[in-house]
Amino acid sequence: MTAPETQKPPTTNTNLINWVNEMTKLTKPDRIVWCDGSEEEKVRFTKQAVEQGILEPLNQEKLPGCYLHRSNPNDVARVENLTFICTPTKDEAGPTNNWMAPKDAYDKLAKLFDGSMTGRTMYVIPYVMGPIGSPMSKVGIEITDSVYVALNMRIMTRMGTKALTMLGDSNDFNRGLHSVLDCNPERRFICHFPQDNTIWSVGSGYGGNVLLGKKCLALRIGSYLGKTEGWLAEHMLILGVESPEGEMTYVAAAFPSACGKTNFAMMIPPKRFKGWKIWTVGDDIAWMKVGEDGRLYAINPEHGYFGVAPGTSNESNPNAMKTTARDTIFTNVARTADGDVWWEGKDGPMPADLTDWQGRPFNSRSSEKAAHPNSRFTAPATNNPALSKFSDDPEGVPISAIIFGGRRATTIPLVMQAFNWVHGVFLGATLGSETTAAATGKVGVVRRDPFAMLPFCGYNMGEYFAHWLQMQGKIQTLPKVFIVNWFRKKDGKFLWPGFGENMRVLKWIVDRARLRVGGHETPFGWVPKAGDLDLSGLNIPHEQVDDATNVDLAEWRTELESQGEFFASIGPTMPRSLELQRELLLARIDAIQGKDA
Ligand code: GTP
Ligand code: SPV
Ligand code: MN
């Protein structure tokens, strides 16, 4: 092999240099580029990507700095069946993860990586997850042969020289290796080695499969580190609610993929809530640890948003529209004749002369979508008009409430508060949701997605539940725990208007967390008392709200039984306190029905 064309590494860290050399020997690139994160570099990479047809410039007057990327149509979402946790034993990965023995995985993928970058450029991307200088932040290095990944990582993380500075001579960094290969699903694997703080990803160019700081490091490896080091890595948005009097309350919320985190994190309260303001800290991931004052503090490890495009409009999410109006990479959206972007659910009527997400002229009478249902925008957090001024705070923000929510057509009421921490952990552990386009597979079937972490937990799910239960002993001021459901339906239609109107529910949550509003006790948790949910100015029939908030014993019995099947599938690591919690709730239904003997 001839030596690749390379620059002098911009670091003296021998751990890093040795590892990059090792990966160079394996992948045999023609060129090596160390990313510095500069503006000049962004311009250069963008130009190259346009020349190679990887990015297409959009209308620079309407959308300055914005580009369109079309992925391979076989590569449009995370692939859970090809995602592996590679721990020494299968039990460590647990029953909800795919497992491969580390040696087998390294051997298998090394064969695929061997020479995979020949004829290509290797980008070495140093990045920090979390605010620079935060004790909670982690450094990662991603080696990739995709300029699209380099440009996306630049938006999604704090990338470049500052990461090398933070790393110094330390050997404590995540080792991420990625190659697109020929983008063949037969040769696609996303492998995590928690014990080695290492991620190897091949055969995909898409989102969570390849932006290794996001789901792979911040959640799968992060959750493993959190378990070992005593903190929490969660699939949660973080937002601050500011009252007209200036009182700030922070909440973290776990909703499964494509179930409303970005929308909730950027929400604009309706007119009725004049003077109330929502500030975004994060829209997808929270790292949380106990602070010196005994409260739970959260940081957002990311620096940008990889958000769902369809459904985003000036009506549903004006802040997202402003955030994506410049310096944004759009992936798999449709394009208008004048170089604007379009997707189902964007404002106004469907424009004529659309090019669909695969680059074909769009036939508006076809049953297909113009934009892929999992089409996305990658936008800098600093574009967000509602960005919290604490989003860069190294200490994070104190969390008063934790919210779980899924996409459920039945059973789960608009909002309910847990009786206590164990019950709250139970609500997280039993979270169910109808599947969405964010992962490949059938859409719309209810599956258990505990803590919205089913695809993202880097170790045994039963032990993960136990870790959450143990946190009760560490947190002095426990956040109050809630579940919400914006997606309940009747006759095929959503009962609750959602989006900005979710402020009404959030207000109740804040008041409950601050112990200043009552509640009604159901067998399964606290719900708002009649009149406590502020519905003024909301133009929907009261019966519809009644249906959205209803708690039905028969539906709950079915639900609890289905939760039992899930708990049983976890096996010996399933905490007894959660199964007892479930049995108690079932027994309560029996008691109410006079059958508890
Ligand atoms: P990931 O980025 O995959 O983790 O998704 P997310 O949880 O951030 O979901 P996002 O906010 O992007 O919303 C996903 C889809 O749900 C979009 O099509 C939204 O329009 C829709 N959605 C969000 N909030 C609501 C709501 O309150 N009601 C209804 N009906 N739909 C919503
Ligand atoms: C999700 O699926 O939860 C996402 C998108 O946020 S991805 O980065 O592809 O995981
Ligand atoms: Mn997500």
Side-chain angles (χ1 to χ4, degrees):
M1 157 193 170
T2 48
E5 192 186 304
T6 184
Q7 69 202 91
K8 186 167 169 285
T11 173
T12 52
N13 184 322
T14 48
N15 304 298
L16 175 54
I17 293 173
N18 291 343
W19 174 66
V20 171
N21 286 342
E22 216 180 296
M23 296 304 109
T24 304
K25 277 201 195 100
L26 176 62
T27 59
K28 307 180 181 63
D30 279 17
R31 251 160 277 100
I32 302 175
V33 173
W34 289 74
C35 300
D36 61 17
S38 68
E39 204 49 43
E40 179 276 321
E41 175 181 272
K42 174 191 167 183
V43 172
R44 183 160 39 92
F45 286 1
T46 305
K47 188 163 167 278
Q48 287 164 4
V50 170
E51 281 163 9
Q52 294 167 30
I54 293 164
L55 291 184
E56 208 175 280
L58 291 161
N59 184 326
Q60 296 297 302
E61 255 155 60
K62 274 192 176 171
L63 295 167
C66 293
Y67 294 83
L68 170 63
H69 172 73
R70 294 196 186 94
S71 74
N72 189 316
N74 78 26
D75 187 30
V76 294
R78 284 181 294 99
V79 282
E80 295 178 5
N81 55 324
L82 303 175
T83 300
F84 292 83
I85 302 298
C86 307
T87 40
T89 66
K90 189 173 186 330
D91 283 349
E92 287 166 273
T96 60
N97 281 313
N98 300 312
W99 175 80
M100 248 194 269
K103 183 167 182 319
D104 294 348
Y106 281 128
D107 287 351
K108 189 182 183 111
L109 270 68
K111 289 201 186 88
L112 299 172
F113 275 119
D114 188 3
S116 69
M117 297 192 190
T118 299
R120 300 174 66 84
T121 302
M122 172 200 267
Y123 300 89
V124 182
I125 307 171
Y127 63 95
V128 180
M129 298 310 286
I132 300 287
S134 166
M136 297 192 71
S137 295
K138 304 267 179 208
V139 175
I141 311 287
E142 175 164 359
I143 293 179
T144 177
D145 56 6
S146 160
V147 70
Y148 170 81
V149 167
L151 284 164
N152 274 271
M153 287 295 283
R154 185 181 196 281
I155 300 173
M156 294 305 296
T157 70
R158 286 126 174 129
M159 184 264 249
T161 309
K162 49 188 175 254
L164 290 181
T165 308
M166 184 166 154
L167 181 63
D169 283 330
S170 167
N171 192 24
D172 184 15
F173 61 92
N174 179 269
R175 288 152 159 80
L177 178 64
H178 165 249
S179 182
V180 191
L181 300 185
D182 53 352
C183 202
N184 176 351
E186 303 286 311
R187 301 177 350 121
R188 185 172 293 159
F189 298 97
I190 325 296
C191 291
H192 305 71
F193 305 87
Q195 278 82 358
D196 302 343
N197 197 4
T198 292
I199 305 155
W200 281 15
S201 164
V202 282
S204 168
Y206 195 82
N209 297 332
V210 300
L211 308 177
L212 299 185
K214 193 174 178 61
K215 296 303 167 45
C216 301
L217 170 51
L219 290 181
R220 298 196 190 96
I221 301 280
S223 60
Y224 170 84
L225 294 174
K227 164 83 176 168
T228 354
E229 299 169 2
W231 52 279
L232 297 164
E234 300 300 330
H235 193 199
M236 289 181 178
L237 68 95
I238 310 161
L239 65 79
V241 190
E242 184 175 353
S243 77
E245 295 75 38
E247 175 194 78
M248 282 294 280
T249 308
Y250 291 95
V251 311
F255 310 156
S257 299
C259 290
K261 288 183 299 300
T262 302
N263 278 272
F264 198 48
M266 295 185 177
M267 182 217 305
I268 295 185
K271 278 206 188 68
R272 164 71 187 83
F273 288 81
K274 197 164 173 286
W276 290 80
K277 185 103 182 76
I278 302 299
W279 299 102
T280 317
V281 180
D283 84 318
D284 199 51
I285 298 176
W287 282 356
M288 303 191 283
K289 68 150 198 221
V290 185
E292 271 165 28
D293 62 359
R295 291 194 289 174
L296 191 62
Y297 282 79
I299 62 161
N300 170 18
E302 301 189 281
H303 201 42
Y305 311 118
F306 186 64
V308 177
T312 309
S313 70
N314 283 311
E315 201 183 324
S316 65
N317 192 348
N319 282 326
M321 294 303 287
K322 291 200 181 88
T323 304
T324 56
R326 57 194 156 90
D327 300 320
T328 295
I329 299 172
F330 294 92
T331 301
N332 293 341
V333 301
R335 181 191 165 115
T336 68
D338 70 339
D340 200 347
V341 287
W342 201 80
W343 46 77
E344 279 69 20
K346 199 172 176 233
D347 306 271
M350 181 190 288
D353 292 334
L354 276 182
T355 304
D356 79 0
W357 65 276
Q358 297 186 60
R360 307 171 303 191
F362 182 65
N363 176 356
S364 59
R365 284 181 307 272
S366 111
S367 59
E368 286 181 43
K369 307 268 192 227
H372 188 275
N374 191 37
S375 54
R376 300 248 166 188
F377 53 78
T378 318
T382 45
N383 278 4
N384 179 3
L387 184 66
S388 163
K389 60 175 183 240
F390 296 104
S391 64
D392 250 332
D393 193 301
E395 297 307 318
V397 295
I399 298 298
S400 300
I402 289 172
I403 307 172
F404 299 109
R407 211 174 254 274
R408 292 296 300 270
T410 69
T411 318
I412 308 299
L414 183 60
V415 60
M416 191 166 82
Q417 184 186 353
F419 293 119
N420 51 47
W421 185 256
V422 178
H423 184 221
V425 173
F426 172 84
L427 292 179
T430 55
L431 189 62
S433 196
E434 290 148 22
T435 49
T436 65
T440 55
K442 201 168 175 328
V443 166
V445 288
V446 174
R447 73 167 183 185
R448 294 292 146 199
D449 189 349
F451 290 77
M453 283 288 279
L454 183 71
F456 308 120
C457 184
Y459 61 102
N460 188 303
M461 189 58 85
E463 286 170 19
Y464 168 91
F465 295 158
H467 181 44
W468 263 85
L469 291 165
Q470 272 174 22
M471 288 302 285
Q472 176 162 22
K474 293 207 174 109
I475 310 169
Q476 245 152 54
T477 313
L478 286 165
K480 302 289 186 277
V481 183
F482 301 80
I483 50 170
V484 298
N485 180 15
W486 317 139
F487 299 95
R488 204 160 177 183
K489 283 184 177 169
K490 192 172 188 182
D491 306 325
K493 289 217 180 78
F494 291 123
L495 288 163
W496 179 251
F499 301 101
E501 305 297 347
N502 295 335
M503 181 65 212
R504 299 169 189 277
V505 174
L506 184 54
K507 166 78 167 38
W508 186 75
I509 288 175
V510 167
D511 286 340
R512 285 293 294 180
R514 291 185 172 276
L515 310 174
R516 60 188 176 205
V517 66
H520 167 69
E521 183 181 329
T522 77
F524 314 108
W526 295 95
V527 300
K529 266 198 331 292
D532 277 349
L533 206 57
D534 188 338
L535 298 174
S536 53
L538 183 63
N539 239 342
I540 62 169
H542 268 257
E543 308 79 67
Q544 208 171 306
V545 179
D546 292 345
D547 285 341
T549 52
N550 187 38
V551 171
D552 179 274
L553 293 189
E555 281 184 345
W556 272 86
R557 186 185 287 281
T558 310
E559 176 74 11
L560 287 158
E561 280 163 4
S562 138
Q563 293 171 358
E565 285 165 30
F566 173 68
F567 280 5
S569 76
I570 297 297
T573 57
M574 185 66 214
R576 211 168 83 87
S577 55
L578 297 183
E579 173 54 20
L580 287 175
Q581 178 69 67
R582 188 187 73 85
E583 287 171 26
L584 173 65
L585 296 178
L586 263 178
R588 261 184 208 156
I589 303 180
D590 288 341
I592 290 168
Q593 297 179 334
K595 294 186 267 194
D596 182 26

